[in-house]
Amino acid sequence: MKQLSVIGTGVIGNGWIARALAQGVHVVAFDPDPSAPERTRAFVDNAWASLSAHGLAPGARPDNLRFASSLEDAVQEADLIQENVPERLALKREILAALDRCADPSVLIGSSTSGFKPSELQTECTRAPGRVIVAHPFNPVYLLPLVELVGGNATEAHHIERGRALYQRLAMRPLVVRKEIEGHLADRLMEALWREALHLVNDGVATTEEIDAAVVYGCGLRWSLMGTFLTFHLAGGDAGMRHMLEQFGPALKLPWTKLEAPELTNELIERVVQGCEHQAAGRSIAELDRRRDDFLVELLGLVQKYWPEAERLEGRI
């Protein structure tokens, strides 16, 4: 892949730009905001130290970036188009339809949407709707390798296979989602934990800091290597998951979970906001970003060291 075209340069769009540049791919971006070029270059400059520590591909340069004057200009030489406009369905449909009209029909268009199903996004695309797929990354996009690929009603298998190859060229680990569902896979899992966390804060059971500590020093350490199911497989001892389910399965019927999110009252909002500000301890978002990135670079190195089967799993996910 020689050129990635990025439409919309917020946090996610800029993350795609930084990742592509670090992989030696040229980027053409479009954003109607006049301040977008300045913001993007500042973003890339801030991320480059972490990307350099993680490892740059041959030819990687932060200045392999050009801002286009229009959508048409942005996609003329594209090998892959990544859409990142705000999460409003009508707006996404409008932009994707315009991209479908002006981009070569053979060029795949990925949407970074975290919630919408691809069939909802394809409805106003008349030229080659099947090439419009969900390609949902995770923040920070320039470091986290997972991208969820989801096809819609008009999408054929070859579109997904092309997407898998293109995103692997960006050093991503594509996960093909078998069925369309709102929120895809990872966000649904994160939102389940988020709902329970809000209930615990709302009910006065724990502070935001205590809940984060429970994840950071407990389950989060295991999840970063083994995920959910393999972690529970080990909890069953020598008999594995079968014994775990026989022993602990009945407890799933207990009313532990709240299932629905609590009402977001002003009181709950203040508890969450004040808790997060206490945890930040006066550090700016930029400082916290750098601390997170430094940690992720080291953690990714450990994951790659202790999860060699990831290379084998690429063929499945």
Side-chain angles (χ1 to χ4, degrees), residues 208-223:
T208 60
E209 186 172 24
E210 291 162 351
I211 291 169
D212 283 352
V215 174
V216 169
Y217 300 111
C219 53
L221 291 172
R222 300 180 302 189
W223 286 344

Side-chain angles (χ1 to χ4, degrees), residues 214-235:
V215 174
V216 169
Y217 300 111
C219 53
L221 291 172
R222 300 180 302 189
W223 286 344
S224 64
L225 176 66
M226 294 185 172
T228 305
F229 282 98
L230 195 56
T231 292
F232 279 129
H233 180 61
L234 270 63

Side-chain angles (χ1 to χ4, degrees), residues 173-190:
R173 293 197 177 274
L175 171 60
V176 177
V177 180
R178 297 170 183 265
K179 295 182 179 181
E180 289 186 272
I181 187 171
E182 294 86 351
H184 324 311
L185 294 185
D187 273 3
R188 292 180 73 95
L189 295 172
M190 290 189 295

Side-chain angles (χ1 to χ4, degrees), residues 294-315:
D294 290 345
F295 173 79
L296 285 176
V297 168
E298 294 189 43
L299 181 61
L300 284 167
L302 285 174
V303 170
Q304 291 168 356
K305 177 181 178 181
Y306 285 94
W307 198 32
E309 64 264 38
E311 299 302 321
R312 176 174 55 81
L313 287 172
E314 274 189 354

